[in-house]
Amino acid sequence: MAAKSEQTRQLVADVALKMFREVGFEKTTMRAIAQEAGVSVGNAYYYFASKDDLVQELYIQVQDEHAVVAAHALEGVQDLVGRLKAVLHTGVDVMAPYHQFGSDFIATAIRPSSPVNPFGEASTAAREASLAIFRSAVEGASPAVAKKLRRDLPELLWLAHMGVALFWVYDRSEGQRRTRKLIDGAAPLVARGLSLAKIPGVSKVFDDALGLVRSVKEDS
Amino acid sequence: MAAKSEQTRQLVADVALKMFREVGFEKTTMRAIAQEAGVSVGNAYYYFASKDDLVQELYIQVQDEHAVVAAHALEGVQDLVGRLKAVLHTGVDVMAPYHQFGSDFIATAIRPSSPVNPFGEASTAAREASLAIFRSAVEGASPAVAKKLRRDLPELLWLAHMGVALFWVYDRSEGQRRTRKLIDGAAPLVARGLSLAKIPGVSKVFDDALGLVRSVKEDS
DNA sequence: AGAATGTTTTGAACGTGTTCAAGAATGAGT
DNA sequence: ACTCATTCTTGAACACGTTCAAAACATTCT
């Protein structure tokens, strides 16, 4: 039975995440985690190849929670602005308990070799889940988003979401008020910006921008 | 005479930067730097409070070089597109020797507590120098950039430059071909996008976007 | 010159993430 | 019940960034 093994793994992960939240990233040493969990250091490493792997565990959990909370917040909201706000605000909500830890997380995540890197292979599942949220936000909107934008928009919004997360990390205002303000201000702007795509002169610029994004992305 | 002291400092810095370039960030240990420079570990720490401080040294040096090279590349180039390309391409040029080291640099720089953080206090001088390049690129352009954009544009372009740097770090194509492609594609798009500000419907969106940027920035 | 003060240099020591050989515990097959 | 292979678990050991008391050196003052 794999239950015992899984139990130890869970225990280590739970203790680690709890300590990340409560005492921060640096003070949460592998030795402290092991001691608190009542296992040896080596045992923790048997389940998690590195401290970064424990951060990855956190990332997945936060992402999962975001998917659930965002889906709920999207219910009954029709307009793109509202839907965008819902997704971004819930994103900040689920990250909130880890704010003090945010910069360490980003520093870990940004390294291409890290398992937590959102563009990396190890995060494929989490990234897809996150992308799905934005896809749902875009596709469920009425009035509908212009067809030609519908394909790339979710990915671009996801990227913007990364930007918001980055802003949030640096946001030292209480309760991250400024991040909320940014979201509330930017969401309607994005929607209005998109609606400009109907203007002939603007349309071409949009097309070229999308073309550039695609060509840069595809070029291995 | 402070010359002897300054000499040791320079020696340590030179050895460190050389090793960063040649063997990478992680393999360049403080012990290795000290040994290669023929000083003790503690002595290196007498001049640089941390390994990050040595990265800061590198950052400043790269920034300075960028200022020089960019100024040269801007000579005789009138149009905004050309000027933008010049600044961004030279930026990539000066970073090139450190590409393999780039992700570690960014991981260090992104941490708010790091001296290298481009938004931080310790980097004020380097940031101002970098901003000045973009200001010069914008102000020297003819046809001139719309007045209302002129104030915030340099800072926004500087931010875009950070984005390009981030892209560059992840760019694994040979010679960072994709980053070059991105610059060549994005520069004209930015210029065309800016020219859209004359269209009445678009103008309002621009105004609101600038207003948002300002309000979020000022709200301490 | 000698004392006092300030600057520079040293290397051992600390706590960290991580590794690994060795040992326990478990389970399957006979 | 007794192997034997697999899965878990342990804790000492390693290299790293960093600290610090002490020593060496330099400079200034009397």
Side-chain angles (χ1 to χ4, degrees):
Chain A
M1 173 164 46
K4 180 69 191 311
S5 175
E6 188 55 30
Q7 204 173 324
T8 310
R9 198 198 129 95
Q10 254 328 308
L11 176 63
V12 172
D14 287 349
V15 168
L17 265 59
K18 184 172 146 76
M19 292 187 79
F20 281 153
R21 245 179 285 122
E22 295 180 357
V23 307
F25 182 70
E26 299 194 346
K27 282 188 183 160
T28 303
T29 68
M30 291 302 285
R31 284 168 179 79
I33 294 171
Q35 181 165 9
E36 188 78 12
V39 301
S40 71
V41 179
N43 201 10
Y45 274 95
Y46 181 76
Y47 293 103
F48 300 94
S50 65
K51 199 180 174 186
D52 282 8
D53 265 45
L54 281 165
V55 175
Q56 159 86 334
E57 195 73 11
L58 183 158
Y59 178 56
I60 290 172
Q61 186 174 306
V62 167
Q63 214 57 262
D64 284 353
E65 198 186 338
H66 186 205
V68 173
V69 180
H72 192 259
L74 282 174
E75 279 170 22
V77 181
Q78 302 293 326
D79 63 304
L80 183 65
V81 176
R83 294 177 74 82
L84 203 46
K85 279 188 186 175
V87 173
L88 293 176
H89 276 303
T90 51
V92 172
D93 290 342
V94 297
M95 294 192 299
Y98 301 96
H99 185 255
Q100 59 142 343
F101 162 63
S103 58
D104 299 289
F105 175 73
I106 298 242
T108 299
I110 209 156
R111 175 167 263 135
S113 61
S114 162
V116 209
N117 184 296
F119 304 99
E121 202 160 332
S123 297
T124 308
R127 180 176 59 251
E128 282 306 319
S130 189
L131 262 169
I133 303 173
F134 285 95
R135 213 171 288 125
S136 135
V138 170
E139 285 170 2
S142 84
V145 175
K147 267 186 294 297
K148 68 174 178 183
L149 293 171
R150 227 173 291 165
R151 185 171 128 201
D152 296 278
L153 194 57
E155 199 157 357
L156 292 174
L157 290 177
W158 177 78
L159 218 56
H161 172 58
M162 296 283 123
V164 170
L166 200 56
F167 186 89
W168 172 82
V169 166
Y170 287 107
D171 186 355
R172 281 187 167 1
S173 63
E174 51 161 339
Q176 288 72 247
R177 180 174 26 84
R178 289 170 64 212
T179 305
R180 303 296 187 170
K181 200 174 181 176
L182 175 66
I183 293 173
D184 287 333
L189 268 173
V190 168
R192 278 168 62 200
L194 292 178
S195 73
L196 296 178
K198 289 173 204 139
I199 303 174
V202 182
S203 178
K204 271 194 171 173
V205 177
F206 268 73
D207 288 344
D208 289 356
L210 288 178
L212 175 63
V213 168
R214 281 178 195 147
S215 97
V216 168
K217 217 168 66 180
E218 278 152 22
D219 181 349
S220 80
Chain B
M1 172 166 46
K4 180 68 193 312
S5 174
E6 188 55 32
Q7 205 173 324
T8 309
R9 199 199 129 94
Q10 250 335 301
L11 176 63
V12 172
D14 288 348
V15 168
L17 264 59
K18 184 172 145 77
M19 292 187 77
F20 280 153
R21 245 180 284 123
E22 295 180 357
V23 306
F25 182 71
E26 299 194 347
K27 282 187 184 164
T28 303
T29 67
M30 292 303 284
R31 282 167 179 82
I33 294 171
Q35 181 165 9
E36 188 78 12
V39 301
S40 70
V41 177
N43 201 11
Y45 273 95
Y46 180 74
Y47 292 103
F48 299 94
S50 65
K51 198 179 174 185
D52 282 8
D53 265 44
L54 281 165
V55 175
Q56 159 86 334
E57 195 73 10
L58 184 159
Y59 178 56
I60 289 171
Q61 186 174 306
V62 167
Q63 216 56 263
D64 285 353
E65 198 186 338
H66 186 204
V68 173
V69 180
H72 193 261
L74 282 174
E75 278 171 22
V77 181
Q78 301 294 328
D79 63 301
L80 182 66
V81 175
R83 294 176 73 81
L84 203 47
K85 278 188 186 176
V87 174
L88 293 176
H89 276 303
T90 51
V92 172
D93 289 343
V94 298
M95 294 192 298
Y98 302 97
H99 186 255
Q100 59 143 343
F101 162 63
S103 58
D104 298 288
F105 175 73
I106 298 241
T108 299
I110 209 156
R111 183 167 258 131
S113 62
S114 162
V116 209
N117 185 296
F119 305 98
E121 201 160 331
S123 297
T124 308
R127 180 176 59 251
E128 283 305 320
S130 188
L131 262 169
I133 304 174
F134 285 96
R135 213 171 288 124
S136 136
V138 169
E139 284 170 4
S142 84
V145 175
K147 268 187 295 296
K148 69 174 178 184
L149 294 170
R150 228 173 289 165
R151 185 171 129 201
D152 296 280
L153 193 56
E155 198 158 355
L156 292 174
L157 290 177
W158 176 79
L159 218 57
H161 176 230
M162 297 282 122
V164 170
L166 200 57
F167 186 89
W168 172 82
V169 166
Y170 287 107
D171 186 357
R172 279 185 169 1
S173 63
E174 48 161 340
Q176 288 72 250
R177 180 173 26 83
R178 289 169 65 211
T179 304
R180 303 296 186 169
K181 199 174 183 177
L182 175 66
I183 293 173
D184 287 331
L189 268 173
V190 168
R192 279 168 63 200
L194 291 178
S195 73
L196 295 179
K198 289 171 203 143
I199 303 173
V202 182
S203 178
K204 271 194 170 173
V205 177
F206 269 71
D207 287 345
D208 288 357
L210 287 178
L212 175 63
V213 168
R214 282 179 196 146
S215 96
V216 167
K217 217 169 65 179
E218 278 150 24
D219 179 349
S220 75

